[in-house]
Amino acid sequence: MDKLLIRGGRRLEGTVQIVGAKNAALPAIAAALLSGEKLTLANLPDVVDVATMLTLLGHYGVTTERTASSVTLDAGAAQNAEAPYDIVRRMRATLLVLGPLLARFGTARVSLPGGCAIGARPVDLHLKALATLGGTIDLDAGYINAKAPGGLTGARIVLGSPSVGATETALMAATLARGETEIMNAARDPEVADLASCLVAMGAHIEGAGSHRILVQGGRTLRAARHDIVPDRIEAGTYAIAAAITGGHLELTGARLEHLAAVGEALERTGVRIWPTDRGLMVARDGALRGLDITTEPYPGFPTDLQAQFMALMAIADGASMIRETVFETRFMHVPELNRLGANVTLQGTSALVRGVKSLRGAPVMATDLRASVSLVLAGLVAEGETVINRVYHLDRGYEALDRKLVRCGADIRRVA
Ligand code: UD1
């Protein structure tokens, strides 16, 4: 298993190309199952989670033609089958095939998913949405069995909370359901809006994606399409924090500041400058970093997927910061590891009190999820001496060429087998 060896203390300078969002690519790949014609996805990130999703689709007989940054999926000869536990356990987003399979084939059997260890991640909202569209769902021995022999029917779905995945499940299933579907309390994330644009390119009729009420006129046959995946706001936010933590400046090409409004505002309040450019956005820090309290919230609030990285930044800020996590309440696996690097973080229920320290010291660390791992890389960029990041496969799940991109901007990082 690969490790990263980081020698901290270098300011980052240069340009980072932001790729398509993993969290937009995964549902778009699942959406290929809705149609018998080809779907081409461009600006596809080269990350392990995308490869896992493509492997899962291959299992259903979907053929894929891949280039460096795009894929053409052909589900013309797709057949329904059981989603095997061995693939599904690797990633929670594999659950996104459930809605399309049920909508197209009238039946689906998918293992309950695995994925990052970030607390209880129930699937009740996905199942309830499909049941509202007329599916019959039961759970048996770790599998979800869903049936709708006469097809799904449009309905009013009210999500108990604005789950990203459940909104996507409902949206995809609704495109083939007969009649109109209204999704209330929908997630407003750019990745949901991007899935809707992909479905519209395929011929679906959708209004309101990106707001909390989405309307779908279903029952159309979806056709061949091409779609560009939206740039990854979490990758962009991570590199923005890399620039900030090292006191450097980076231009993030392709990044969209409007998708990072809450993050940009938080960074500015800590003393970081962030502004749009013709090609993306620019991030720079020259002065001191100030501690700041933040609370994670559903989009457009501060994203839970940048909480760990922001905590690494606050670890070396002047003063104290309170970081409250409201989306995944136990998402704090990075705290003991940041403390091993010399941070002073105390957990108090769903909040973390971060008392800023003057400097961090390198040490061997290990993380159990994607964003926790990258927060340790960020801390390693400023820690004195050498930081060894174990279990790099978590990073490879969601960041394309992370170490290479950082090295190009001046970081001292080596990947060893
Ligand atoms: C997606 C993102 C993930 C991000 C998360 C929140 C993908 C592939 N992953 O995950 O990176 O951290 O959004 O922005 O897009 N919940 C339920 N029942 C359900 C579904 C969710 O109670 O059926 C709860 C979850 O436990 C969690 C909250 O809702 O507390 C938000 O989860 P959700 O928005 O569904 O996250 P994911 O779609 O899994």
Side-chain angles (χ1 to χ4, degrees), residues 23 92 120-126 163-165 305 327-328 331:
N23 286 352
R92 180 178 161 85
R121 295 178 84 176
V123 298
D124 55 313
L125 299 172
H126 296 251
S163 153
V164 175
D305 282 354
V327 180
F328 294 109
R331 191 175 201 177

Side-chain angles (χ1 to χ4, degrees), residues 140-361:
D140 107 78
Y143 274 82
I144 304 164
N145 292 315
K147 289 198 171 54
L152 296 171
T153 311
R156 184 167 199 259
I157 297 170
V158 183
L159 294 173
S161 70
S163 153
V164 175
T167 304
E168 292 166 344
T169 289
L171 185 56
M172 288 189 280
T175 60
L176 297 192
R178 278 185 304 275
E180 182 176 281
T181 295
E182 182 183 13
I183 306 170
M184 294 298 293
N185 200 23
R188 290 180 278 167
D189 301 55
E191 294 75 19
V192 171
D194 195 58
L195 172 64
S197 316
C198 176
L199 294 167
V200 166
M202 293 167 78
H205 197 285
I206 300 170
E207 280 170 34
S211 79
H212 50 70
R213 176 173 177 266
I214 305 178
L215 268 185
V216 185
Q217 307 298 335
R220 292 160 192 245
T221 302
L222 301 186
R223 53 172 192 257
R226 185 199 137 92
H227 174 71
D228 273 30
I229 303 290
V230 69
D232 195 323
R233 65 192 162 103
I234 305 301
E235 189 195 28
T238 301
Y239 286 103
I241 294 173
I245 204 167
T246 63
H249 53 89
L250 291 179
E251 184 172 18
L252 310 179
T253 56
R256 295 194 193 159
L257 194 49
E258 72 268 26
H259 292 164
L260 283 165
V263 178
E265 190 194 322
L267 286 174
E268 293 206 316
R269 291 177 62 197
T270 65
V272 177
R273 288 181 299 130
I274 180 161
W275 67 97
T277 65
D278 293 348
R279 304 193 298 171
L281 62 88
M282 190 79 167
V283 191
R285 177 173 71 88
D286 321 300
L289 270 172
R290 293 184 290 277
L292 179 75
D293 298 347
I294 57 147
T295 299
T296 65
E297 281 166 348
Y299 190 85
F302 193 98
T304 175
D305 282 354
L306 287 170
Q307 179 257 106
Q309 300 89 315
F310 195 79
M311 190 183 295
L313 183 68
M314 291 299 90
I316 57 154
D318 292 341
S321 318
M322 185 67 91
I323 297 185
R324 203 168 137 240
E325 174 61 62
T326 72
V327 180
F328 294 109
E329 292 179 349
T330 57
R331 191 175 201 177
F332 284 124
M333 262 79 63
H334 41 289
V335 168
E337 301 301 298
L338 286 172
N339 284 345
R340 282 169 61 78
L341 296 172
N344 181 350
V345 186
T346 319
L347 277 179
Q348 301 177 343
T350 56
S351 296
L353 174 63
V354 187
R355 293 186 176 88
V357 295
K358 287 268 170 284
S359 60
L360 299 174
R361 291 179 309 277

Side-chain angles (χ1 to χ4, degrees), residues 53-69:
M53 199 69 170
L54 293 174
T55 304
L56 179 60
L57 262 75
H59 187 78
Y60 296 112
V62 177
T63 58
T64 53
E65 263 175 65
R66 184 112 202 235
T67 66
S69 64

